[in-house]
Amino acid sequence: MTTTSRRLGVLGGLSRRSTIECHQMINRHVLSLTNNRAAADLVTWSLDPDTIIHLLSKDGWPLIVDQIKEAAANLLLEGVDALMIASDTLQCALAEEPIHFGVPVIPVHDALANEIQRLSLRKVGLVGTSATMSGPYYQDLRQESCNLDVVLPSQNLWVNIDYSVCNRIYNGESTVLEVDTYHQIMSQFEAQGVDGIIVASPEIALAFNKPDPVPVLHTAQIHAAAAARWCVAGRDILRPDISRHDEAGRASAASTDAASKDTSKISFEALQPRDLRRKRKRKAGRLSAAAASVSAGQQTRNS
């Protein structure tokens, strides 16, 4: 069967490891869905974590959105057919400052809501960065899932969670504070009787990996599965024994495509194939003449 390759642009997580994990998870799902006959066509772009963390501390959502726009513009120049934002914190920034990219954006929100409904969860604990927990992106799940109660860790632990995420970004290691913090969070969730836990951060997921008595829904895994299904759409897809996250996301594929076509908010001009070829030629000429130290962001601004 001859198929047209679909290229996915991935705006990576805030750490190198989470970005690499995202790439690997998407390809594992693609291999599983196609009986090892295909690999995902991915173009990845990573933001500087120092910049993002600084802007978070200054409530700089608009400037973070500007960073996302610039990254998306670079990915569009590579001819991507859709985008995936592999950071829960960056998705929260877009919830505050919504924009339209000119191509579909694969969300985790819909697939997560479907998984919650599939498991008949009624009370879930949510743990993420303070920006994620205080924002509307995941809190709105209570409106979309019947009678869902979303429980957060006590606010005195939020600074510890952010510290844990930053430590994971820079050092990739656990600390005594991290272990104690997540132990307290689990105790709080257990005391409040949650029947599921949402881990809304790839960096937190690296630490939140011990067996638990209730389902743990890692948004990074759910998002990667949804991205893989998009990548193989139109191919002969197998139906092997798959994880519950894969199964849950299928039901949301149609709603994902419909949501991505909303053009009410415009930030980028949709590029035509001939425009991409011209831009690539101009970009190649500039790269050959530029010094190796010129940053990708500078190259984009000179386009």
Side-chain angles (χ1 to χ4, degrees):
M1 177 179 178
T2 302
T3 58
T4 302
S5 177
R6 308 176 92 193
R7 175 169 290 182
L8 178 64
V10 179
L11 184 55
L14 296 185
S15 68
R16 292 188 301 273
R17 182 170 175 182
S18 64
T19 300
I20 293 170
E21 286 284 333
C22 176
H23 189 284
Q24 292 176 336
M25 285 190 292
I26 293 173
N27 269 296
R28 282 196 294 267
H29 284 296
V30 167
L31 288 171
S32 176
L33 289 168
T34 63
N35 194 26
N36 296 333
R37 297 197 310 268
D41 185 358
L42 305 177
V43 180
T44 303
W45 188 276
S46 294
L47 297 178
D48 175 35
D50 273 337
T51 301
I52 300 301
I53 290 171
H54 173 73
L55 292 175
L56 285 175
S57 66
K58 301 293 185 181
D59 296 323
W61 288 124
L63 294 177
I64 291 176
V65 171
D66 287 342
Q67 294 274 320
I68 296 172
K69 287 181 180 179
E70 184 175 8
N74 280 280
L75 290 170
L76 287 172
L77 289 175
E78 299 302 324
V80 300
D81 303 297
L83 293 170
M84 171 189 181
I85 300 172
S87 164
D88 299 88
T89 300
L90 296 183
Q91 291 184 82
C92 288
L94 290 179
E96 298 286 345
E97 298 277 343
I99 57 178
H100 175 67
F101 295 101
V103 295
V105 179
I106 299 175
V108 63
H109 193 280
D110 296 341
L112 177 61
N114 285 340
E115 180 69 352
I116 290 171
Q117 291 178 349
R118 190 191 75 82
L119 295 172
S120 299
L121 303 181
R122 291 290 175 263
K123 191 173 189 178
V124 297
L126 170 66
V127 57
T129 63
S130 58
T132 298
M133 292 187 292
S134 62
Y137 191 72
Y138 289 117
Q139 288 294 305
D140 285 350
L141 286 171
R142 62 166 60 94
Q143 299 174 5
E144 301 179 11
S145 303
C146 296
N147 301 318
L148 181 68
D149 187 8
V150 179
V151 176
L152 301 176
S154 60
Q155 284 198 333
N156 66 301
L157 294 177
W158 289 19
V159 65
N160 291 357
I161 297 172
D162 287 344
Y163 176 82
S164 167
V165 171
C166 289
N167 186 69
R168 286 278 175 179
I169 289 172
Y170 293 120
N171 302 319
E173 301 173 351
S174 64
T175 63
V176 174
L177 177 63
E178 177 183 270
V179 173
D180 181 63
T181 296
Y182 293 125
H183 176 75
Q184 292 184 61
I185 291 171
M186 285 301 301
S187 297
Q188 290 179 5
F189 285 164
E190 182 179 358
Q192 295 184 70
V194 303
D195 52 10
I197 299 172
I198 300 170
V199 179
S201 166
E203 285 73 35
I204 293 175
L206 297 173
F208 220 90
N209 55 9
K210 291 187 169 52
D212 295 294
V214 297
V216 178
L217 282 62
H218 292 286
T219 59
Q221 295 175 5
I222 295 173
H223 204 186
R229 287 189 296 274
W230 180 89
C231 289
V232 301
R235 293 179 178 269
D236 292 327
I237 300 176
L238 301 181
R239 295 186 63 85
D241 292 334
I242 56 179
S243 71
R244 62 178 184 240
H245 302 310
D246 285 335
E247 191 62 43
R250 280 201 178 89
S252 69
S255 62
T256 297
D257 289 341
S260 67
K261 295 177 182 177
D262 176 16
T263 57
S264 60
K265 308 173 186 68
I266 299 175
S267 292
F268 292 113
E269 177 185 357
L271 300 177
Q272 300 299 319
R274 61 179 179 274
D275 297 325
L276 286 171
R277 288 193 293 269
R278 291 171 186 158
K279 287 178 179 290
R280 284 175 177 170
K281 288 179 180 178
R282 290 198 298 268
K283 186 176 182 182
R286 288 195 303 273
L287 288 174
S288 63
S293 62
V294 176
S295 70
Q298 291 171 324
Q299 296 163 15
T300 302
R301 286 190 291 271
N302 291 332
S303 298

